[in-house]
Amino acid sequence: MNLSAQTQTPLSVVQMLALSADEWAARNPPEPVEYAPLKQKGIDLWMKREDRLHPQVSGNKAYKLLGHWQQANAQNASCLLSFGGYYSNHLHALANFGASVGVNTVGIIRGHEPERLTPTLEDCRALGMTLKFVSRQRYRDKLDPQWLAQLSEEFPRAYIIPEGGADRWGMLGCSGLMSRLRTQIDLQNATICLPCGTGTTLAGMASVSIAGETLLGFSALKLGERYQQYCDEIACMMEGFDSFGRWSINADFHCGGFARQTPELLAFSQDFEESTDIALDPVYTAKMMFGIVQLASQGRWNPGQRIIAIHTGGLQGRRSPGITDDLN
Ligand SMILES: *Cc1c(COP(=O)(O)O)cnc(C)c1O
């Protein structure tokens, strides 16, 4: 398996910052993908390979960080601080980003310091990120203004990025993923699929969508009764933009919950990777593709339907052992 198949030499982060997010997105136009279970149903599958954008600052995380970076510069910040778990793609991307542009980074980690760091956190520390471990209880306060004020004192001139990069600035950065897409492929009568954690990426894309375009997000989280609240929060992020009726969230393929896996999911992603030579991450993109295949087999789409899946990257997360029980 070639995890880093490249059609062109990736840009460095510094080179990327000289370009707009639109120009990043133009580098990886959707490509047709043949996968028998979808082909049999007449589904016309395409994939936009944002995993190829940059080997470390990959996929949607780069777009979100762009929005935050512009904001941090406007505030003359000297350090970037954010939150995440032991396997966080977001912190991993942030640490690499900071090391590339020469800015200090701080990661507030959910849970005590383990005896052996996970490969993700080992990378973060090696890249110069300051790791601050906090109890899960404390971590729950990640939006509490008082705690944020304390963190600002502890890390002066830090620009604080919410967990998962999930706010208006992250959302605006992700809009770049969408703008060029309709010049690259006909989006009318197509469904654009993407995995969702905080839903920021979906919000960014939906915020610049136009009539006739359809986005379908696959939640990596088990939402249950929180479903409506989750959708409301996504809608809130794109307040002021008209995207009504052009996006929806499917929450049926969480496979047990965030970062959890089932034998069906594992078997599926192995089969998908062997047939297509496209690597998926177990937390997000595998669940999206699994969901697409399940929906197709349930007859959700008519033959001829075009599906454009956004590969949001995050392949570093493949080093996670797969959570079957709570880590902390
Ligand atoms: C973080 C992440 C997501 C989720 O993005 P949100 O904007 O939080 O919805 C999706 N895919 C991958 C690979 C990620 O790392």
Side-chain angles (χ1 to χ4, degrees):
M1 166 94 41
N2 182 2
L3 291 188
S4 56
Q6 294 289 341
T7 46
Q8 49 188 338
T9 319
L11 300 172
S12 71
V13 171
V14 172
Q15 286 171 325
M16 281 167 66
L17 288 176
L19 302 174
S20 68
D22 278 12
E23 288 167 305
W24 301 359
R27 290 173 62 82
N28 292 294
E31 298 167 11
V33 175
E34 292 228 343
Y35 184 53
L38 289 174
K39 205 172 178 190
Q40 281 156 16
K41 296 280 169 191
I43 302 294
D44 179 26
L45 175 67
W46 294 68
M47 199 177 249
K48 179 163 173 53
R49 300 286 305 276
E50 289 298 329
D51 55 317
R52 288 179 173 157
L53 178 63
H54 185 279
Q56 308 300 335
V57 187
S58 104
N60 62 343
K61 297 301 182 280
Y63 290 84
K64 290 196 219 190
L65 284 176
L66 179 66
H68 292 296
W69 176 237
Q70 289 165 344
Q71 208 37 34
N73 279 329
Q75 295 179 13
N76 203 17
S78 63
C79 137
L80 301 171
L81 178 149
S82 198
F83 305 82
Y86 292 167
Y87 295 94
S88 169
N89 287 337
H90 168 62
L91 289 183
H92 196 261
L94 178 65
N96 276 283
F97 183 92
S100 305
V101 299
V103 152
N104 290 334
T105 54
V106 178
I108 309 295
I109 316 296
R110 176 180 181 267
H112 61 83
E113 177 160 6
E115 252 171 58
R116 263 195 73 186
L117 289 184
T118 59
T120 303
L121 293 184
E122 227 171 66
D123 285 354
C124 289
R125 186 169 272 172
L127 288 158
M129 179 177 261
T130 302
L131 304 182
K132 181 180 166 79
F133 293 86
V134 300
S135 71
R136 292 170 63 188
Q137 210 163 355
R138 173 93 265 204
Y139 189 89
R140 256 180 241 136
D141 300 336
K142 58 189 181 272
L143 295 174
D144 172 39
Q146 230 173 331
W147 190 36
L148 295 183
Q150 275 175 26
L151 287 173
S152 294
E153 255 172 55
E154 189 176 344
F155 303 101
R157 285 179 57 210
Y159 177 81
I160 298 182
I161 304 172
E163 182 185 49
D167 67 8
R168 186 80 170 182
W169 304 112
M171 186 283 283
L172 290 172
C174 291
S175 63
L177 261 170
M178 183 79 186
S179 338
R180 286 274 174 101
L181 199 53
R182 70 179 68 91
T183 67
Q184 294 170 330
I185 189 167
D186 184 12
L187 296 182
Q188 304 289 324
N189 308 313
T191 296
I192 302 164
C193 294
L194 71 160
C196 290
T198 63
T200 312
T201 310
L202 175 90
M205 294 182 76
S207 71
V208 291
S209 65
I210 58 173
E213 295 174 351
T214 306
L215 290 130
L216 175 59
F218 288 86
S219 172
L221 289 71
K222 188 175 180 172
L223 295 176
E225 288 175 353
R226 285 187 299 137
Y227 180 83
Q228 194 51 49
Q229 188 195 339
Y230 183 81
C231 293
D232 291 347
E233 281 168 10
I234 294 175
C236 196
M237 259 193 275
M238 47 180 145
E239 202 189 332
F241 292 92
D242 169 32
S243 65
F244 187 74
R246 296 201 289 269
W247 62 274
S248 59
I249 301 286
N250 179 300
D252 295 337
F253 304 104
H254 54 76
C255 302
F258 186 69
R260 282 162 199 269
Q261 298 172 4
T262 58
E264 291 83 0
L265 178 71
L266 290 175
F268 163 78
S269 45
Q270 205 171 359
D271 183 64
F272 183 83
E273 291 184 14
E274 276 165 15
S275 326
T276 62
D277 210 20
I278 298 172
L280 303 172
D281 86 290
V283 179
Y284 293 105
T285 48
K287 291 182 184 180
M288 164 187 68
M289 287 312 307
F290 181 65
I292 292 171
V293 170
Q294 295 294 315
L295 288 180
S297 76
Q298 293 164 14
R300 157 83 179 248
W301 296 292
N302 293 326
Q305 172 74 39
R306 171 172 291 169
I307 297 289
I308 305 164
I310 312 292
H311 194 314
T312 42
L315 295 177
Q316 74 87 24
R318 289 164 65 90
R319 299 176 298 179
S320 128
I323 300 170
T324 48
D325 206 354
D326 228 326
L327 264 180
N328 315 332

